[in-house]
Amino acid sequence: PTIYISNMPVQDQDSSKDAGLPKLPLPDLKDTMDMYLRCVKHLLTEEQFNKTQKIVKQFEAPGGVGELLQSKLVEKREKTANWVFDYWLNDMYLNNRVALPVNSSPVMVFPQQNFRAPIDSLKFAAHLISGVLEYKALLECSHDLPVDCARGQLAGTPLCMEQYHRLFTSHRLPGLEKDKLVAQESSMMPEPEHMIVACKNQFFVLNVVINFCRLNERDVLIQLEKIKEMAESGEDRLPPVGLLTSDGRTEWAEARSILMRESMNRDSLDMIERSMCLVCLDEASGPELSDTTRAMLMLHGGGAAKNGGNRWYDKPMQFVVGEDGCCGVVCEHSPFEGIVLVQCTEYLLKYMIGSPSKLVRAASVSELPAPRKLHWKCSPEIQKRISSSADKLQRLVKNLDMNVHKFCDYGKEFIKKQKMSPDAFIQVALQLAYYRCHGRMVSTYESASTRRFRKGRVDNIRSATPEALAFIRAMTDGKLSSSVRCFKAITAQTNYTVLAISGMAIDNHLLGLREIAQEMKMEKPEIFKDAAYLISNHFLLSTSQVPTTVEMFCCYGPVVQNGYGVCYNPQSDHIIFSVSSFHESPETCSAEFVKHLLQGLQDMMDLCNECSTDPNTIKAFENYFMMMSQRKKFIYKPETV
């Protein structure tokens, strides 16, 4: 088992709310193979596609390898709550050896705060901690936590709530070959009653429950002031051990095993790993705090010279409060999805706005014990590894090419008036931008929640559709058919979205077939060694919609060295885009991508405005929509380009 809750795999534990949800369906083998060919055809050369067709035909032949693997997946589905859960978690996160900052951990950037004095940042942190404790209490009384319901496509469907219960009770444990996701949640072990406060690269235990009483906000502030004084005293200044968690997962696992040789280090590690979360009190990072700068500082802390060591990346929730007002959350992504992070952070920001800071002296825990500083015994080998980790993080800092832009010409309301899905519209715009940047279409990842099903996480919406390519070519050639092709591209994107959130997309199914073959110790089937599979899983464009109802935005890094990471937040009258790439790649440039994206959004708006006054185009749309309405529901049939 991968996730342990008191040494029990999470697969075996269903909450009463989630037990009533349906199991994730298993698509038919032929449907997935047909869809796979349609999705990759326009990304391959003719020679590559002809070879892939033959391989797929052989794989899905009656009595062949595909049928055998499918039958094993059918058995697995009957025996488990979610047949793809472990496969997906391992493949997406736990087997991944790259460093967490930028490469894996997304961040939520809060609105810029105006702290006029150092005490203001501590007051903000104390208020935030009070909100965290309120939210955690809500999670512990699960009957008080309202069940999420789907928005957008197939709106209103209840969603699995299991991910929420790992927000403050888990940590990612590094391994030499594979990490583990560990949760302390069990009836045998009480939930954590302390947080870890990071200040000047030192770590302190903040007990938020003392003598069975939760600290009030005033007492939390007093403790934070003590922590800051201790960190600034200069006495016993320890090496920035947190930098080790920013390294590659294998390197961190090796360093952790060395640390574990000393009882003092084992105790410090235990206190951090069993904590509910981190609160990182950051020093000011510099005068310029644009959206782009704040996004980068959240992603990597500015490196070892700034706040890069003031972190512990294995913890799912790290709340960052900078003296300069740069605030947000760093999220270790393996325990939960972006929407869970959004729900939590929105609750906290609304709490802080709607609940006045309670710094008046209330019923206090008398004679508060001083917060405990965690100590480390660092051998020369550990010192050397910390230095190496610092160098690697600095290279990552220099390499990240980030561009956050607020597009203000229109937002989702304009798109809705065109009777289009805002998400599908934006995805088509992203395809247009990439094509204009690079002259080709590439494999694209858009996360789609499968929380309609028990233990659901995500599947992939393959946004690089043949219809999108046909639209892009029409736009490039200036053809009059651009408007109709735009609607076809958006409709195709919407249809595939419905497939993905309904558990009928291809990526999880292909992953399951691949992994069940490995479990059976079979030679890897040819379909998974084929160029088409490798190309289709090299996501040069990794995208995600993360909408919020309060002022903040999400961002993350690219998933491949020569790709882009694009997170977008559509609001009523504007859209926030966070585009990332790496400077070291000669193929990518975030500013150039944003330039083409903005132009594409303008062109698509002009196209929509022209369509609304052209009777021939309106008639063509009506005929197209009538044709689409007669198609079988949820069936995605790409047209030949």
Side-chain angles (χ1 to χ4, degrees):
T2 302
I3 301 184
Y4 295 83
I5 298 181
S6 186
N7 293 323
M8 289 293 290
V10 73
Q11 282 269 29
D12 297 339
Q13 302 193 17
D14 266 323
S15 74
S16 57
K17 288 183 179 180
D18 298 338
L21 293 175
K23 284 187 176 185
L24 182 72
L26 179 64
D28 180 78
L29 180 64
K30 179 162 178 48
D31 287 346
T32 291
M33 293 297 105
D34 289 347
M35 182 72 67
Y36 174 59
L37 289 174
R38 293 178 184 130
C39 286
V40 302
K41 181 177 181 180
H42 55 292
L43 304 178
L44 306 174
T45 65
E46 184 177 354
E47 182 182 355
Q48 286 173 328
F49 183 70
N50 288 338
K51 180 185 176 186
T52 298
Q53 269 189 311
K54 293 176 183 176
I55 291 171
V56 167
K57 187 175 182 180
Q58 183 180 15
F59 181 76
E60 67 177 353
V65 173
E67 278 196 358
L68 172 63
L69 299 178
Q70 179 77 356
S71 68
K72 295 298 181 182
L73 282 183
V74 170
E75 292 176 12
K76 185 176 178 67
R77 183 178 184 272
E78 291 172 355
K79 296 175 182 176
T80 59
N82 186 307
W83 60 268
V84 81
F85 184 93
D86 291 333
Y87 296 151
W88 178 90
L89 186 64
N90 291 335
D91 184 69
M92 183 67 78
Y93 296 113
L94 303 185
N95 288 336
N96 205 325
R97 301 289 83 201
V98 298
L100 296 185
V102 178
N103 300 305
S104 179
S105 295
V107 302
M108 193 66 73
V109 183
F110 288 176
Q112 173 66 28
Q113 303 299 312
N114 183 23
F115 299 145
R116 298 182 180 179
I119 189 65
D120 291 343
S121 64
L122 296 185
K123 288 179 179 178
F124 182 91
H127 200 186
L128 179 64
I129 288 170
S130 290
V132 170
L133 295 176
E134 289 283 343
Y135 191 70
K136 189 170 183 298
L138 190 66
L139 294 178
E140 289 168 357
C141 300
S142 57
H143 58 275
D144 292 335
L145 186 68
V147 174
D148 288 348
C149 288
R151 306 174 196 170
Q153 303 299 325
L154 308 184
T157 311
L159 304 179
C160 179
M161 299 294 288
E162 180 251 356
Q163 295 176 33
Y164 283 93
H165 302 290
R166 294 200 293 269
L167 274 166
F168 302 111
T169 61
S170 62
H171 70 276
R172 181 162 165 175
L173 185 67
L176 295 175
E177 296 180 354
K178 173 183 170 183
D179 290 359
K180 290 179 181 176
L181 182 55
V182 182
Q184 293 90 32
E185 184 181 300
S186 90
S187 57
M188 300 294 292
M189 183 182 293
E191 292 204 359
E193 295 183 339
H194 70 276
M195 298 179 181
I196 297 296
V197 177
C199 187
K200 294 186 178 296
N201 301 333
Q202 313 295 295
F203 298 100
F204 301 84
V205 178
L206 173 65
N207 289 309
V208 292
V209 177
I210 299 178
N211 297 332
F212 305 102
C213 294
R214 198 177 89 186
L215 293 193
N216 61 52
E217 192 171 320
R218 177 69 185 178
D219 287 334
V220 170
L221 177 59
I222 290 171
Q223 297 296 74
L224 293 179
E225 289 179 294
K226 290 178 184 176
I227 286 171
K228 192 168 184 183
E229 288 174 8
M230 294 166 69
E232 290 175 341
S233 69
E235 298 175 11
D236 192 24
R237 184 66 64 87
L238 299 168
V241 176
L243 284 171
L244 294 171
T245 70
S246 73
D247 211 329
R249 301 307 291 172
T250 298
E251 292 84 353
W252 166 218
E254 290 170 348
R256 187 180 182 281
S257 68
I258 297 170
L259 285 172
M260 287 288 286
R261 295 171 188 168
E262 300 289 343
S263 60
M264 178 188 293
N265 297 339
R266 290 197 296 272
D267 177 65
S268 295
L269 287 167
D270 181 64
M271 291 305 294
I272 294 175
E273 291 167 354
R274 285 195 299 107
S275 67
M276 60 179 72
C277 63
L278 255 73
V279 177
C280 307
L281 303 179
D282 278 8
E283 297 181 89
S285 297
E288 184 192 352
L289 282 177
S290 64
D291 286 349
T292 297
T293 302
R294 289 186 295 123
M296 290 191 292
L297 289 172
M298 283 299 121
L299 283 165
H300 52 54
K306 294 185 179 178
N307 296 296
N310 210 44
R311 303 283 186 273
W312 198 269
Y313 282 101
D314 291 355
K315 288 302 293 182
M317 299 291 280
Q318 297 189 88
F319 298 96
V320 177
V321 180
E323 287 182 340
D324 51 10
C326 182
C327 304
V329 186
V330 183
C331 162
E332 199 290 289
H333 210 345
S334 62
F336 46 81
E337 300 309 322
I339 188 60
V340 174
L341 175 65
V342 169
Q343 294 285 72
C344 174
T345 50
E346 286 195 346
Y347 178 95
L348 296 176
L349 289 182
K350 289 174 181 176
Y351 170 88
M352 296 178 74
I353 294 168
S355 174
S357 182
K358 301 180 180 67
L359 291 176
V360 295
R361 174 63 70 181
S364 173
V365 177
S366 61
E367 297 299 322
L368 286 171
R372 174 187 161 199
K373 181 177 180 177
L374 295 180
H375 292 274
W376 307 92
K377 191 168 184 180
C378 295
S379 64
E381 172 66 11
I382 286 294
Q383 298 272 17
K384 184 178 177 181
R385 286 179 177 271
I386 291 174
S387 178
S388 173
S389 298
D391 291 342
K392 291 178 196 172
L393 182 59
Q394 193 57 36
R395 288 199 293 272
L396 197 57
V397 170
K398 290 182 178 179
N399 198 12
L400 180 62
D401 180 10
M402 192 80 209
N403 192 305
V404 179
H405 185 89
K406 186 176 181 179
F407 176 76
C408 295
D409 287 5
Y410 61 88
K412 62 184 178 182
E413 290 308 315
F414 169 79
I415 303 171
K416 287 180 179 178
K417 286 179 181 177
Q418 316 308 312
K419 303 197 184 317
M420 300 179 189
S421 156
D423 182 72
F425 186 98
I426 294 169
Q427 282 291 327
V428 172
L430 293 174
Q431 294 298 317
L432 179 59
Y434 191 96
Y435 190 91
R436 285 176 167 176
C437 271
H438 302 283
R440 63 190 176 115
M441 181 173 270
V442 294
S443 189
T444 304
Y445 187 98
E446 183 195 359
S447 56
S449 172
T450 57
R451 285 177 58 211
R452 289 163 176 79
F453 307 100
R454 240 180 293 171
K455 310 293 182 190
R457 293 295 300 258
V458 300
D459 206 337
N460 177 23
I461 303 169
R462 290 193 165 266
S463 304
T465 63
E467 291 85 353
L469 181 56
F471 163 64
I472 290 165
R473 286 176 174 168
M475 288 287 283
T476 304
D477 298 339
K479 292 181 179 177
L480 296 175
S481 60
S482 296
S483 52
V484 175
R485 289 198 176 275
C486 178
F487 270 77
K488 288 183 177 181
I490 290 168
T491 302
Q493 175 71 19
T494 303
N495 288 347
Y496 200 101
T497 298
V498 173
L499 272 178
I501 64 179
S502 303
M504 302 302 287
I506 65 171
D507 282 73
N508 280 352
H509 192 192
L510 289 168
L511 173 64
L513 293 167
R514 188 191 78 192
E515 293 302 298
I516 206 88
Q518 186 173 344
E519 281 183 11
M520 296 172 67
K521 303 192 184 310
M522 293 173 54
E523 181 182 350
K524 182 182 283 188
E526 192 65 28
I527 189 173
F528 301 118
K529 296 187 285 187
D530 181 35
Y533 186 74
L534 302 177
I535 291 169
S536 69
N537 282 278
H538 188 74
F539 295 110
L540 291 167
L541 195 52
S542 178
T543 71
S544 183
Q545 177 185 213
V546 184
T548 65
T549 62
V550 297
E551 187 187 347
M552 60 179 173
F553 63 90
C554 181
C555 57
Y556 47 80
V559 298
V560 294
Q561 290 300 307
N562 59 337
Y564 295 96
V566 183
C567 190
Y568 52 96
N569 182 349
Q571 298 294 305
S572 295
D573 59 355
H574 66 273
I575 309 168
I576 302 172
F577 291 96
S578 303
V579 178
S580 63
S581 61
F582 291 121
H583 288 297
E584 289 179 0
S585 170
E587 302 172 34
T588 58
C589 174
S590 295
E592 192 71 10
F593 187 92
V594 168
K595 183 184 81 172
H596 286 294
L597 175 59
L598 302 182
Q599 185 60 56
L601 290 166
Q602 286 281 0
D603 293 344
M604 290 173 71
M605 178 182 70
D606 293 342
L607 196 62
C608 290
N609 289 333
E610 290 172 13
C611 295
S612 64
T613 58
D614 182 353
N616 292 328
T617 303
I618 293 171
K619 184 64 176 175
F621 288 157
E622 289 174 348
N623 291 338
Y624 182 68
F625 286 136
M626 185 175 296
M627 177 190 72
M628 290 304 300
S629 67
Q630 292 170 353
R631 286 187 177 183
K632 196 172 179 180
K633 202 173 185 183
F634 305 157
I635 295 298
Y636 170 67
K637 301 280 188 185
E639 298 169 3
T640 303
V641 178

